[in-house]
Amino acid sequence: MSGIKKLAGQTLWYGVPTIASRFLGYLMNLSLPLLFAQPATTADLTQVYAIIPFLNVLFTYGLETAYFRFSQEGDKKKLYDTLSVSLIGSTILFTILLLLFRNTIARWASLENHPEYITLMAGIIFFDAISTLAFARLRQENRPKRYAFARIAGVVMNIAVVIIFLGFIHKYVQSHRDSFLGTIYNENNRISYYLIGNLCGSILTFFILRKEFTEIRFRFDAALWKKVMHYAYPLVIVGMGGMVNDMLSRLIYQHVVDLPEHEAKTQLGLFGQIYRIAVLVTIMIQAFRMAAEPFFFSRSKEENPQRTYARVMKFFVIACCFMFLFISLYIDVFAWFFEAIDKPAWMVGLNIVPLLALGNIFLGIYYNLSIWYKLSNKNMSGAFITLAGAVLTIVLNILLIPRLYYLGAAIATFSCYLFMMVVSYVMGQKHYPVPYARKKLITYIVLVVLLYLIHLGLVYLWPNRWFNLATATLLLGFFTWLIVRVEEKELKNMPVVGKLLYK
């Protein structure tokens, strides 16, 4: 249990700032319906944020995971210096290329009316990319306070800039058109201030991490770099394939859907908002990954680490099941919110959120399973799994989006992550067997889906809001009771949970 307790502590230290920063950003994104009545207005922002993850994978090319892997052996300072020189040089080169081909990229992404979005995007990616190794070093050296401060400060700056421009300055300009602010404030392109806020947050984060950059010695060990690249280059394929699976539907939506331009943008804006609700699950998954990756590598040298990995998976799946129930059982609350603020256009499509949330749980399980190829130096196997998932995603998106619109995109995402999870499990058990509690975990997942369907049926029979909330709470309580009973032996040994539940 000591390994689980250590991981839980690390997840708390590194996960809380990640959850806090992502949740603050998530709330800011959810504010879009408050500011823009029509979903089509936000389609360009959805498009930009579908491109950024692809470029982040390209700009960082697996160096973060490689740093954790190779910091377990050899000179850590030489490793950090070599990889930092590589990252800074490549980031400058890639950013210049982005700016040179700005107009071409804008046309390809249906952003030809706003090429400035590409410039802002390039700035965001530049500062985020060169901060990657600094954050990895803080995690590897177990310096959570500095890590947390840098993460949260960037998001707070982002939110502050957006509030200032879309709140205070916007109101001021309404009554002072001839003022200096009135002449520079772009009333017709308010969505751009989300990107400006993001850029300001990324710059502040870079400034906070300046000590990590000043400690870089510009020395480059070519032999070490080649060794690291041999390990890391399959991770680029994994990352790119992962982004195809995660972002492709939003990236190509306007190109494959057979609708007029404005309607296509409306659909994309709606799908982007639906996805933001579903990825509440991935906030927790990302927090877990921040702690789990260095933890898994550090545990790999110990006796029988597979037993620890199996227990980690069990608690991870249980946590994901709770997140799924929370989102799916209370999904109507989002609809009531949009109804209350008189933005009915945003209520469309909320019924597909549980499908996306379940798909993201499969993605989280896949992340856990992926430790087999990272520890056994079979990263190309992970690349092939991800590429196969990417092919499936592309085919399903092209086939289903024109017929089912964003439901088709959701089915494609769900199918891809289910496929990757199953294939990774089968291959992992051959090359790096881990005694996962397979039957129990499948039972938990099937059960929460059944509880959601029961709630859906009950609400269909009696569409009363108080009945809706009451039955949702009862079903969530039932699952909580079941876990407490079934996992009593494990939970009793946990220092805080055990005392609370089994006094």
Side-chain angles (χ1 to χ4, degrees), residues 175-190:
S175 55
H176 299 81
R177 298 282 184 184
D178 297 328
S179 64
F180 172 72
L181 288 176
T183 59
I184 64 171
Y185 186 77
N186 191 342
E187 179 70 26
N188 297 320
N189 191 20
R190 290 189 294 154

Side-chain angles (χ1 to χ4, degrees), residues 164-314:
I164 289 170
F165 276 99
L166 296 185
F168 298 110
I169 294 179
H170 174 68
K171 287 185 178 180
Y172 177 81
V173 168
Q174 295 294 308
S175 55
H176 299 81
R177 298 282 184 184
D178 297 328
S179 64
F180 172 72
L181 288 176
T183 59
I184 64 171
Y185 186 77
N186 191 342
E187 179 70 26
N188 297 320
N189 191 20
R190 290 189 294 154
I191 204 75
S192 65
Y193 294 110
Y194 277 82
L195 294 172
I196 292 171
N198 195 337
L199 177 59
C200 291
S202 298
I203 292 172
L204 177 62
T205 299
F206 171 76
F207 179 76
I208 292 171
L209 296 174
R210 63 191 182 280
K211 182 181 178 182
E212 280 65 37
F213 291 101
T214 57
E215 291 178 351
I216 296 172
R217 297 294 174 263
F218 283 84
R219 53 177 176 165
F220 185 80
D221 187 323
L224 176 61
W225 184 83
K226 289 179 182 177
K227 184 179 179 182
V228 171
M229 287 301 102
H230 180 73
Y231 175 85
Y233 83 86
L235 297 178
V236 180
I237 302 173
V238 171
M240 279 295 183
M243 289 306 105
V244 168
N245 300 331
D246 191 28
M247 296 291 178
L248 184 75
S249 56
R250 281 162 282 175
L251 198 60
I252 68 171
Y253 197 94
Q254 296 179 85
H255 301 282
V256 299
V257 70
D258 186 20
L259 291 170
E261 181 180 357
H262 183 269
E263 181 62 24
K265 285 186 176 292
T266 298
Q267 295 262 340
L268 178 59
L270 282 169
F271 185 55
Q273 186 69 9
I274 290 166
Y275 212 95
R276 290 182 192 103
I277 297 173
V279 297
L280 272 172
V281 172
T282 64
I283 292 176
M284 187 201 71
I285 292 171
Q286 181 65 23
F288 173 81
R289 286 185 68 197
M290 299 301 289
E293 194 162 47
F295 172 83
F296 283 150
F297 280 116
S298 66
R299 286 275 164 173
S300 63
K301 305 293 183 182
E302 298 182 1
E303 184 180 352
N304 195 17
Q306 293 90 338
R307 184 170 178 269
T308 299
Y309 300 155
R311 297 175 79 186
V312 168
M313 173 69 88
K314 180 173 68 173

Side-chain angles (χ1 to χ4, degrees), residues 256-379:
V256 299
V257 70
D258 186 20
L259 291 170
E261 181 180 357
H262 183 269
E263 181 62 24
K265 285 186 176 292
T266 298
Q267 295 262 340
L268 178 59
L270 282 169
F271 185 55
Q273 186 69 9
I274 290 166
Y275 212 95
R276 290 182 192 103
I277 297 173
V279 297
L280 272 172
V281 172
T282 64
I283 292 176
M284 187 201 71
I285 292 171
Q286 181 65 23
F288 173 81
R289 286 185 68 197
M290 299 301 289
E293 194 162 47
F295 172 83
F296 283 150
F297 280 116
S298 66
R299 286 275 164 173
S300 63
K301 305 293 183 182
E302 298 182 1
E303 184 180 352
N304 195 17
Q306 293 90 338
R307 184 170 178 269
T308 299
Y309 300 155
R311 297 175 79 186
V312 168
M313 173 69 88
K314 180 173 68 173
F315 287 110
F316 174 81
V317 170
I318 290 172
C320 283
C321 285
F322 275 107
M323 286 295 294
F324 172 80
L325 279 180
F326 179 78
I327 292 171
S328 60
L329 294 179
Y330 296 99
I331 189 63
D332 287 333
V333 174
F334 289 96
W336 301 338
F337 169 74
F338 295 138
E339 183 181 334
I341 63 174
D342 196 27
K343 299 289 193 302
W346 291 94
M347 295 170 58
V348 180
L350 287 175
N351 59 306
I352 70 168
V353 168
L355 183 64
L356 285 170
L358 186 59
N360 277 287
I361 289 176
F362 295 155
L363 176 63
I365 295 173
Y366 169 74
Y367 285 146
N368 269 269
L369 294 170
S370 67
I371 198 65
W372 72 264
Y373 63 75
K374 292 178 181 177
L375 290 177
S376 57
N377 291 329
K378 295 183 180 294
N379 287 340

Side-chain angles (χ1 to χ4, degrees), residues 406-424:
Y406 40 74
L407 174 59
I411 292 173
T413 298
F414 173 86
S415 302
C416 168
Y417 292 153
L418 176 61
F419 167 80
M420 289 171 58
M421 178 186 69
V422 172
V423 173
S424 184

Side-chain angles (χ1 to χ4, degrees), residues 113-157:
N113 294 327
H114 298 288
E116 69 275 12
Y117 290 177
I118 305 300
T119 303
L120 292 169
M121 180 183 73
I124 293 167
I125 295 169
F126 175 85
F127 288 104
D128 286 351
I130 60 175
S131 300
T132 300
L133 282 178
F135 276 123
R137 183 180 176 185
L138 292 178
R139 290 164 58 197
Q140 198 277 329
E141 294 178 353
N142 199 20
R143 297 161 65 190
K145 293 181 181 179
R146 186 168 177 78
Y147 175 93
F149 177 69
R151 281 288 187 196
I152 294 176
V155 178
V156 171
M157 169 63 81

